[in-house]
Amino acid sequence: MDRLIKGIFEKQEAEDRIRLETDYTNLILSEFKDAEAILSMDRRLILNETPVRCAVEFSIRKHTAVLVPYYHSHDFYEMIYVYEGICRQYINENKKEFILQKGDICFITPGTIHSILPCRQEDIILKIIIPARFL
């Protein structure tokens, strides 16, 4: 893989780690419609709720290993592309793990409840955020 792209992915991994460790409040405020309700909860309970992530801008980011899996939905479309390795997730609270492999694409529509598991170091999973107004 091109060194420039690998460097970008490593930077995103580091950014996510820092955001989770030091800037949890702003992370929640910037990414969720119901941010105030989430922030008022005990942080450990967030995995048992179904928050709604929001986005107004198109973006592409590597899914990182540091993110904690939780069921959530979106107000946007999300396309998951497995460039390398595998991507494991649960969709619509199904108890069966859904596994994508290298070259697979998954298109998640707004309102779909899902949880994507952390990737491994060797996985390269791209999450493409497409605001609903774009489609």
Side-chain angles (χ1 to χ4, degrees):
M1 175 186 301
D2 182 78
R3 270 195 252 184
L4 175 64
I5 293 173
K6 188 173 182 180
I8 291 169
F9 292 160
E10 289 171 356
K11 181 180 176 195
Q12 289 176 350
E13 185 86 32
E15 288 170 353
D16 281 353
R17 183 176 293 108
I18 291 167
R19 287 174 54 193
L20 281 171
E21 292 173 357
T22 63
D23 203 13
Y24 177 78
T25 300
N26 284 329
L27 170 70
I28 297 298
L29 288 170
S30 69
E31 293 195 11
F32 293 93
K33 278 188 175 181
D34 44 358
E36 295 300 327
I38 291 168
L39 289 171
S40 69
M41 284 189 259
D42 181 323
R43 187 170 177 180
R44 293 165 298 177
L45 297 178
I46 200 166
L47 298 178
N48 297 324
E49 300 297 323
T50 308
V52 178
R53 290 189 59 211
C54 56
V56 294
E57 295 179 3
F58 177 89
S59 68
I60 300 173
R61 287 190 60 87
K62 178 187 178 290
H63 180 59
T64 56
V66 298
L67 296 177
V68 176
Y70 61 96
Y71 281 107
H72 64 284
S73 67
H74 312 130
D75 71 350
F76 53 85
Y77 295 88
E78 180 176 40
M79 188 165 53
I80 298 171
Y81 173 65
V82 181
Y83 179 84
E84 194 71 50
I86 63 169
C87 173
R88 301 173 351 217
Q89 64 179 321
Y90 293 89
I91 297 179
N92 288 328
E93 300 184 45
N94 189 333
K95 301 296 181 206
K96 185 176 178 188
E97 190 175 74
F98 179 67
I99 300 175
L100 299 168
Q101 298 181 24
K102 181 179 179 174
D104 288 344
I105 293 175
C106 178
F107 195 73
I108 299 173
T109 57
T112 300
I113 297 171
H114 69 285
S115 177
I116 186 169
L117 300 176
C119 64
R120 303 168 303 172
Q121 218 42 48
E122 63 268 24
D123 297 326
I124 300 174
I125 302 161
L126 301 178
K127 298 190 304 185
I128 299 132
I129 305 301
I130 307 165
R133 65 184 171 87
F134 285 24
L135 295 178

